Amino acid sequence: MTAVRDILRTMDYGLAPESDEHARAWLAAHSAGFGHFIAGAFTPPGQLFDVFNPARGERIARVSQGTEADVAAAVAAARKALKSWSALSGDARARWLYALARHIQKRERLLAVLESLDNGKPIRESRDVDVPLVARHFYHHAGWASLIADEFPGHRPVGVCGQIIPWNFPLLMLAWKIAPALAAGNTVVLKPAEFTPLTALAFAEICVEVGLPPGVVNIVTGDGATGAALVESDDVDKIAFTGSTEVGRAIRQATAGTGKKLSLELGGKSPFVVFEDSDLDSAVEGVVDAIWFNQGQVCCAGSRLLVAESIAERMYAKLRARMETLRIGDPLDKSIDVGAIVAPVQLERIKRLVEAGEREGAKVWRAPGPLPERGCFYPPTLVTEVEPASILAREEIFGPVLAAMTFRTPDEAVALANNTRYGLAASVWTENVNRAFEVAAKIKAGVVWINSTNLFDAASGFGGYRESGFGREGGREGLAEYLEAPAAATKSAKAVKAPLNALPGRAPAPDGDSIDRTAKLYIGGKQARPDSGSCYSVLDPEGKVVGLAGLGNRKDIRNAVEAAAKASSWGAATAHNRAQVLYYLAENLESRSEEFAARLGAQTGAGAREARAEVETAVRRAFYYAGFADKFDGAVHATKTRFVTLAMNEPWGVMGIVCPDEAPLIGFVSLVLPAIAMGNAVVVVPSASHPLSATDFYSLLDTSDAPAGVVNIVTGEAAALAKTLAEHDGVDALWCVGPRELSKAIEAASAANLKATWTRLPPRDWADEQGRDYLRRATQVKNIWTPYGE
């Protein structure tokens, strides 16, 4: 028997096992296998697959493989329940969410142990982090359910939501998706990860316990084929996916042109930036939380350590000393720091990537502690001398591997931080508050933690930039993903579209004299001839030529995107200054209203009164967005911990805009002005049939102090130019108003860099097309967490 004096001499940890007896009993009660949860009841088990405990390599359950028929049944149940669930008052839905939160708390021990058995994460994490956050999300969104009518007036639920979650935080990801969906009045079909379905099935039992109406929540288990069936279902209105960027890209392509709302929370390669004035001991503890929490199987894990060159060796020495104290082993041991990798296939991927990094010249140092003899375990690993182009700096390893690089200046630190196709999260460590906020603002990531890391709360949005996806989960911005804004009326008449006739040379003037009336492109603040050297005739409704417009091509779009990228100072300008430019633009448009009305009438055949009304609406819209430029504020989220959590609305950067054929002036203004009011630079494809109002518009830009490159106009055939914009990696977001075939093409093409798209079907009543929804879609939210107090 070990004596106390021996323990005091060695300070070794003893075993502190968490009993899994109740979880094993629960699993034994389902030894025949789990069915799906559809329409408020479990189906008989179907074709079963095994679920393993990764820490011991043993089978712990058998779960049904979902088929297309199972998915169809679940979607039908959700559709049937939608009408009555969405018709409930917000207060009534709030009571259901509150009941779910209370029952989760009552079963928190079972859920925590089950999560650790199924996923391999340490019980301390599932017990102290995951399950409390799950309850928090249902409580928080119970409050939102009561407030939606006041805070989102006129909004309606999206409908039936298909939700696909990953294996790294199985129950927490379920809460992130189901809680806001139910609060907003939607119904749900959720597919948990194949490796970790058990806590989702336990949650289904909680739904039964609280008496949740049948069909409101449905859970179908299975592999990727089950998820694909859910994505492809014609009766699903929204897909919410968390997982790999590769699968997210496939989902973007599969949903293209379907009209389904889509939110994607994908991979990351998050920087952990340590400046020379940092508290190194605190930073080291931050690294432990950033990369060895949940074995590094975290989409926002701080897997790239960027450390000031002057303190790098000190930082590495402290890290190695701390890594030597990390304990690896049975996840149910409460004194364990690092648990098991989720599955053998993931363990092999980690090993393969680290070996590839070693071959590239990186230096690998592994924590020396012993590994369990069985199960999927990998030691905490520090890799130094990593080059920015190394596979370890580029690829998401999703394991306990930290790749370290050095920098000399803050600008170099920002450049290295942004040297990735991802943009999910970042962590900045410095005692200089000015530097902290400056660097946080420059890093392209949806979440930035200052002197902290891996903080989450239901009140704060979470989501990424670039190939880390689009959309947010949590907070006001996350709830908005499950609501539809009030729809403006659409016109019953179809837009008139004149053919594009490629004609060289001149167009006749109205008086019959032959003068050059070719409208040029507008790129980088200058009129530009199209690369093709060709133009096309602009016809009125009677077929009479009223002018010529340049026939833009791929090279013109490339030049326009480059010009827009150079106008990045527009986004950095104060909102007040942007507002002044828009006010000036509105004044100049008003002073030339008769001229613009005459041009509209000549192109479209509109009567004088109708043309003047369109110009007057355009002027009002310009004043409207000028007024909003400095009033579309962010927020300070009320998170549970002592942090000031700033939700900042940031511009996308370079936006592509494809305008409708109808309402050539007001359609152009309604799309361009909210985008530039929020600080974006735009590349605009105006009405192909009636482009002259847009080309006249650049004369207003020249006299309204709009910086060069903020608005770039490329005329020509909309479908070809839109596809080029969608394929361009330098375009960060794309709006398009056009036929369904065009929407499908650009949504599919946008999957290359996963740019956010917003497609709308014409024709629309553009007199009503304005509001906060345009501003929200012209921005992405960055949440910056800043600690306060001692």
Side-chain angles (χ1 to χ4, degrees), residues 225-309:
T226 309
L230 184 57
V231 169
E232 294 165 4
S233 172
D234 292 335
D235 209 23
V236 169
D237 302 300
K238 172 184 170 63
I239 294 293
F241 172 78
T242 297
S244 72
T245 295
E246 291 71 25
V247 176
R249 187 173 285 117
I251 290 175
R252 168 71 284 181
Q253 292 171 330
T255 58
T258 63
K260 292 174 183 171
K261 196 168 184 178
L262 180 64
S263 55
L264 300 172
E265 196 264 282
L266 307 175
K269 195 68 182 173
S270 300
F272 190 104
V273 187
V274 182
F275 288 94
E276 63 276 1
D277 63 344
S278 302
D279 177 343
L280 289 192
D281 292 324
S282 295
V284 166
E285 291 305 311
V287 170
V288 171
D289 286 339
I291 188 60
W292 295 306
F293 173 67
N294 199 26
Q295 298 73 253
Q297 299 171 132
V298 184
C299 53
C300 56
S303 55
R304 289 187 298 145
L305 173 62
L306 310 180
V307 58
E309 187 177 76

Side-chain angles (χ1 to χ4, degrees), residues 397 401 523 653 670 722 771:
I397 300 172
V401 179
I523 297 175
S670 297

